[in-house]
Amino acid sequence: MSATTTYRTCPRSGLQFENQAEKLIKANAVMAVLWLAFGGILAIGVVLTRWPAIHWLPADTFYMVLTAHGLDMLIFWIIFFEIAVLYFASSTLLRCRIATPKVAWLAFGLMVIGSIMNNVAVFRGASSVMMTSYVPMMAEPSFYLGIILFAVGALIGCFVFFGTLVVAKREKTYEGSVPLVTFGALTAAIIAVFTLLSGALIIVPAWLMSLAVMNVDPLIYRTVWWALGHSSQQINVATHVSVWYLVAAVALGAKPMSERVSRVAFLLYILFLQLASAHHLLADPGVGTAWKVVNTSYFMYLAVLASMLHGLTVPGAMEVAQRQKGYTKGLFEWLRKAPWGNPTFAGVFISIIGFGFLGGITGVMMGTEQLNLIIHNTIYVPGHFHATVVVGTTLTFMALTFYLIPVLFKREMISPKLAQWQPYLFGFSMYFFCLVMMGAGTLGVSRRHWDMAFQGNALAYEWPGAAYLMMALVGIAGVAAILGGIIFVYITVGSLLWGRKLEPGKSSAAFTPVPRAAPTTAAQTYGSMGFAAPGTFALAMIFLVAFVLYYFINWKYLSTLWGLS
Amino acid sequence: MSAILPPAERLWYKHPIDRVEGTWITIALVWCLILFFMMVGWHIWGKQNLSTETYRTTPEQFMTKAEAVAAKYTVRTETEQNIPVVAPPPGSDVYMLGRLWNFWPILELQKDKTYRLHLTAMDYNHGFSLQPANINIQLVPGFEHVVTVTPNQAGTYSVVCNEFCGIGHHQMVGRIYVK
Ligand code: HEM
Ligand SMILES: [Cu+2]
Ligand SMILES: [Cu+2]
């Protein structure tokens, strides 16, 4: 088998692409970007309707479009891209052929069919149930069937990834342990298997329910659905953190500070986050206090700890690399002299900061049993997760795409100047978007709500003026972010269509084995480097102060509410 | 570029840890423990803890009990729909249900008095979002959730549905008076 394929060595990056893997990565990445583009068009409808002064779409269209926006972005855009990352992290980084390419194409086909089937169901208008599709509210059967086909495809994709790791090991394309990025991708894939199985456990019954074959208890649905919904976010985090390490390596030549810390942190994701669907049920009846407290935290929040570690070690590795290049003045010369004009680096750095400060801090706040009472189902929640899945995952994947245009697609990027601005426009407007959504949510404004004025209702609630102001700012920031998204799609699609073709590099019938990394100079023994990344440590301290203050402010707020027991 | 290359040292789990990392791990772990103990501590010392008292119910069962209380303690009706305003005595059981697309009935409670508030959803999931107090509780059909509440401020409160429940979702709003 291995004789029938070829390996192309990219002259720009030195990466080696196996022929089938290369095509699969491209196909999955292209589908991903198409869904992002479509979901982005839908975002225009969502955001212009929630901007009170514009209130654009009629109610039924709004709920339909919002259902599709959630699914197309959170599921289809992100998972197609993740499958591409999995193939890249196995076949490309380990320089081996992809296992069972035909099966991988089958997986791709299922995902394409499933995602389209699901969208067709939504746009027929009788499946506006939101991505969570809580029973007993029912969508058309093809809504669920589409998700099931897509999930089966994604599951097969994960097994192709595992198979590829086995191939690499057996054919000895590398020595020792897999690279850190591959290791991170492996944790993502393991979590994905768990996630997709939980998904099957609940979406299949919901599908049968839509066919009137069986009945599903609403609370059981919510509990199992969130085992899917929550752990799929863990896949995203594990994947985008892997990409952070990847970008730190290719943009700055950074080495992980300590393989041990980074890898253990990835392992913690598997061990401590995947069952934690509890924090989506904190305001629910019928779930016990002890269960909630234990399952949100496992006594010590080790998964939060894991993200706090990656949040330190990725910029820390960047700092060490920059200092070795001679940028050693003060705490922050390494940061000032970073390649801010490179959209791949800039995107990732903006993503790291936003993910930590906006997504991380608010996630812990929301996931605290009692504090959840003040934000459950308010628009604070989408505020939080746009900071995680948009600023964290999406921005990171966009940054990686800019890197892949010349390397994988062999095209010169069109409008590189525009590309330089893209991460700033998209990233910072998203920061602001998330902040004002959280502001509105703190004032109680509901999510998934067409008319905050309750027009024509005798019992209408009048929101404070500040809530209207916040929602208007959500509108403005959202439009700016969409503009950033349009620029991204324009550059990506444009480069693929009419960017100048670049030299593909030599193809050969055999792989060149992966070299070993040079021995790490950082951290030979504990403390031998002194304090290798003081600037990053200072940033971490700022983060900690923000975290502590924000956390206790919310307890203060909670303490003023009605007594509840 | 070792994040994309196999590590040089054979056993990655024997790699040394830098002092920056060691220090941060310690600080972060302590903070994570504090996060955990705050939740537990609030159950002991805090005054806002969501009760977990829950019973299985059906729309008929719940309606029967809610109507019985309404029949006894209705003080007036409001709006064109003549929604009863129910003012049960402090300490008693009060009922509120969410259904497509309203809350029933309107309640009138007294400040600083405690009530056992029974909540349910009659059909789909709904949300109980008490504004402007900003207390948000999920209503799940088939479950009767008994929450003990002590209003601490007089005023007119609205109950906004904040779980998507179909095309009338944004019309679903109820009321609680506190005197
Ligand atoms: C480009 C700019 C974007 C804008 C302006 C935008 C806007 C919005 C708004 C305003 C909502 C909340 C509506 C509501 O609850 O009433 C929303 C929901 C959502 N968005 Fe976005 N979004 C954007 C991009 C994305 C991306 C990239 C993702 C995922 C990767 C995403 C995932 C979601 C999800 C999952 C929901 C929840 C849908 C639901 O409640 O069922 N969005 N979006
Ligand atoms: Cu409702
Ligand atoms: Cu509703």
Side-chain angles (χ1 to χ4, degrees):
Chain A
M1 267 257 297
S2 54
T4 58
T5 188
T6 56
Y7 297 82
R8 171 179 79 84
T9 305
C10 164
R12 289 162 292 280
S13 61
L15 291 171
Q16 192 173 302
F17 293 95
E18 190 251 351
N19 187 277
Q20 280 297 319
E22 180 164 18
K23 290 193 178 118
L24 280 159
I25 299 172
K26 279 187 191 169
N28 280 285
V30 167
M31 272 314 290
V33 172
L34 292 178
W35 280 120
L36 175 69
F38 187 58
I41 294 172
L42 300 174
I44 301 174
V46 173
V47 85
L48 290 186
T49 307
R50 293 240 48 177
W51 184 345
I54 296 190
H55 206 222
W56 183 39
L57 298 175
D60 52 349
T61 318
F62 169 75
Y63 291 128
M64 180 175 82
V65 163
L66 181 56
T67 305
H69 171 73
L71 286 159
D72 293 348
M73 290 297 209
L74 192 66
I75 318 264
F76 304 141
W77 141 246
I78 288 189
I79 295 184
F80 267 116
F81 202 92
E82 280 167 350
I83 295 290
V85 171
L86 287 186
Y87 294 162
F88 179 89
S90 52
S91 168
T92 308
L93 292 185
L94 298 179
R95 300 194 181 174
C96 80
R97 66 185 171 84
I98 195 155
T100 60
K102 288 217 178 70
V103 177
W105 284 111
L106 171 75
F108 177 72
L110 283 174
M111 289 167 68
V112 172
I113 294 170
S115 52
I116 293 175
M117 183 187 284
N118 172 270
N119 265 256
V120 170
V122 173
F123 284 101
R124 278 154 55 100
S127 300
S128 302
V129 294
M130 304 294 143
M131 55 161 191
T132 39
S133 53
Y134 292 135
V135 300
M137 190 184 280
M138 279 284 113
E140 289 185 4
S142 60
F143 175 94
Y144 306 100
L145 190 59
I147 296 180
I148 293 168
L149 292 180
F150 181 85
V152 170
L155 192 60
I156 297 176
C158 291
F159 282 101
V160 171
F161 166 79
F162 296 135
T164 306
L165 296 185
V166 174
V167 170
K169 185 106 213 156
R170 213 189 291 140
E171 299 183 358
K172 301 207 171 47
T173 64
Y174 68 99
E175 292 170 59
S177 313
V178 296
L180 178 59
V181 173
T182 310
F183 189 87
L186 176 61
T187 58
I190 292 172
I191 299 171
V193 171
F194 169 83
T195 304
L196 294 165
L197 292 179
S198 322
L201 216 61
I202 201 61
I203 301 292
V204 171
W207 176 49
L208 295 176
M209 187 169 168
S210 72
L211 294 168
V213 179
M214 68 179 283
N215 206 16
V216 181
D217 179 83
L219 192 58
I220 292 181
Y221 180 90
R222 289 173 60 80
T223 311
V224 183
W225 196 90
W226 280 111
L228 154 79
H230 177 78
S231 29
S232 67
Q233 302 322 306
Q234 240 28 73
I235 312 174
N236 299 343
V237 175
T239 313
H240 77 229
V241 171
S242 303
V243 176
W244 290 353
Y245 283 110
L246 172 78
V247 167
V250 297
L252 296 172
K255 305 176 166 84
M257 296 178 78
S258 156
E259 293 272 354
R260 172 156 56 155
V261 172
S262 302
R263 286 178 197 233
V264 168
F266 274 121
L267 287 178
L268 290 178
Y269 282 148
I270 300 188
L271 295 176
F272 292 95
L273 260 174
Q274 55 182 5
L275 296 168
S277 65
H279 67 226
H280 297 268
L281 308 171
L282 294 175
D284 276 33
V287 270
T289 302
W291 186 83
K292 290 183 201 168
V293 170
V294 170
N295 281 285
T296 42
S297 63
Y298 295 114
F299 305 106
M300 51 220 300
Y301 282 99
L302 285 184
V304 172
L305 182 78
S307 286
M308 287 173 79
L309 291 185
H310 290 304
L312 177 91
T313 59
V314 178
M318 292 173 172
E319 175 170 1
V320 172
Q322 287 286 83
R323 285 182 184 269
Q324 274 164 5
K325 287 183 197 140
Y327 302 125
T328 51
K329 248 190 260 127
L331 276 179
F332 293 119
E333 194 194 15
W334 65 275
L335 195 56
R336 279 200 310 277
K337 296 281 169 64
W340 293 107
N342 171 353
T344 300
F345 169 80
V348 161
F349 207 88
I350 294 169
S351 171
I352 295 173
I353 299 293
F355 181 73
F357 277 84
L358 298 172
I361 293 179
T362 60
V364 170
M365 188 287 259
M366 292 170 47
T368 301
E369 198 216 350
Q370 296 90 343
L371 296 178
N372 187 265
L373 279 169
I374 55 186
I375 58 86
H376 177 71
N377 269 350
T378 67
I379 202 155
Y380 189 99
V381 178
H384 153 76
F385 67 68
H386 281 76
T388 57
V389 292
V390 186
V391 175
T393 312
T394 301
L395 185 54
T396 298
F397 288 176
M398 285 174 165
L400 180 63
T401 306
F402 286 142
Y403 173 73
L404 291 178
I405 288 173
V407 170
L408 173 68
F409 291 95
K410 298 166 283 192
R411 297 287 180 144
E412 192 172 88
M413 194 190 282
I414 58 164
S415 334
K417 270 261 140 17
L418 204 56
Q420 284 189 352
W421 284 102
Q422 193 276 342
Y424 296 94
L425 174 60
F426 186 75
F428 290 141
S429 55
M430 257 298 150
Y431 277 19
F432 188 64
F433 176 80
C434 296
L435 277 172
V436 284
M437 263 211 202
M438 292 169 196
T442 306
L443 295 167
V445 178
S446 319
R447 70 184 289 196
R448 300 173 166 176
H449 200 278
W450 180 70
D451 180 19
M452 65 191 284
F454 307 97
Q455 259 168 34
N457 194 315
L459 297 176
Y461 173 61
E462 193 167 336
W463 295 98
Y468 277 95
L469 175 66
M470 290 287 173
M471 289 310 290
L473 293 174
V474 167
I476 294 167
V479 169
I482 288 168
L483 199 65
I486 291 174
I487 294 175
F488 170 77
V489 173
Y490 163 72
I491 292 172
T492 309
V493 176
S495 301
L496 261 54
L497 291 179
W498 58 81
R500 193 169 64 83
K501 286 208 174 78
L502 296 173
E503 207 249 305
K506 272 208 240 17
S507 276
S508 70
F511 59 84
T512 340
V514 193
R516 253 338 212 314
T520 21
T521 42
Q524 290 296 2
T525 53
Y526 184 71
S528 66
M529 291 285 292
F531 210 63
T536 303
F537 194 78
L539 289 177
M541 284 299 129
I542 297 174
F543 172 77
L544 187 71
V545 171
F547 199 164
V548 173
L549 283 178
Y550 186 70
Y551 183 71
F552 285 110
I553 284 172
N554 279 290
W555 282 108
K556 180 91 188 78
Y557 175 16
L558 180 75
S559 72
T560 63
L561 300 189
W562 287 18
L564 292 166
S565 59
Chain B
M1 301 215 295
S2 76
I4 59 172
L5 296 177
E9 294 83 353
R10 239 171 57 77
L11 300 175
W12 59 262
Y13 43 87
K14 291 203 171 150
H15 283 201
I17 299 173
D18 182 77
R19 195 177 291 169
V20 170
E21 293 177 300
T23 315
W24 180 242
I25 292 173
T26 316
I27 295 173
L29 186 63
V30 170
W31 175 236
C32 288
L33 287 170
I34 294 174
L35 294 177
F36 173 69
F37 284 111
M38 272 307 290
M39 278 196 292
V40 178
W42 202 263
H43 276 283
I44 303 169
W45 297 292
K47 293 207 173 64
Q48 292 79 16
N49 289 291
L50 185 62
S51 126
T52 56
E53 187 179 341
T54 307
Y55 306 94
R56 286 239 170 225
T57 188
T58 63
E60 299 72 40
Q61 268 175 15
F62 193 91
M63 198 62 188
T64 314
K65 290 195 280 184
E67 273 174 343
V69 174
K72 230 161 145 186
Y73 300 115
T74 296
V75 288
R76 61 179 183 278
T77 63
E78 282 190 4
T79 76
E80 281 168 20
Q81 285 81 40
N82 290 322
I83 308 171
V85 178
V86 181
S92 66
D93 290 273
V94 300
Y95 290 80
M96 184 177 256
L97 56 90
R99 62 185 173 197
L100 303 172
W101 284 287
N102 55 53
F103 290 96
W104 188 93
I106 294 173
L107 298 176
E108 192 167 279
L109 310 178
Q110 293 174 32
K111 180 170 174 283
D112 295 327
K113 295 289 187 307
T114 299
Y115 301 83
R116 282 166 53 79
L117 174 61
H118 297 237
L119 298 169
T120 198
M122 303 294 271
D123 28 55
Y124 292 160
N125 277 271
H126 294 284
F128 174 94
S129 178
L130 186 76
Q131 299 298 341
N134 202 14
I135 293 171
N136 303 279
I137 300 171
Q138 183 77 26
L139 307 181
V140 182
F143 294 89
E144 177 171 349
H145 191 179
V146 188
V147 187
T148 310
V149 297
T150 314
N152 60 359
Q153 249 177 7
T156 301
Y157 292 85
S158 288
V159 180
V160 176
C161 177
N162 68 359
E163 181 60 79
F164 175 68
C165 55
I167 190 61
H169 167 53
H170 48 269
Q171 281 296 332
M172 185 164 164
V173 54
R175 193 163 280 184
I176 295 179
Y177 295 103
V178 176
K179 292 208 296 192

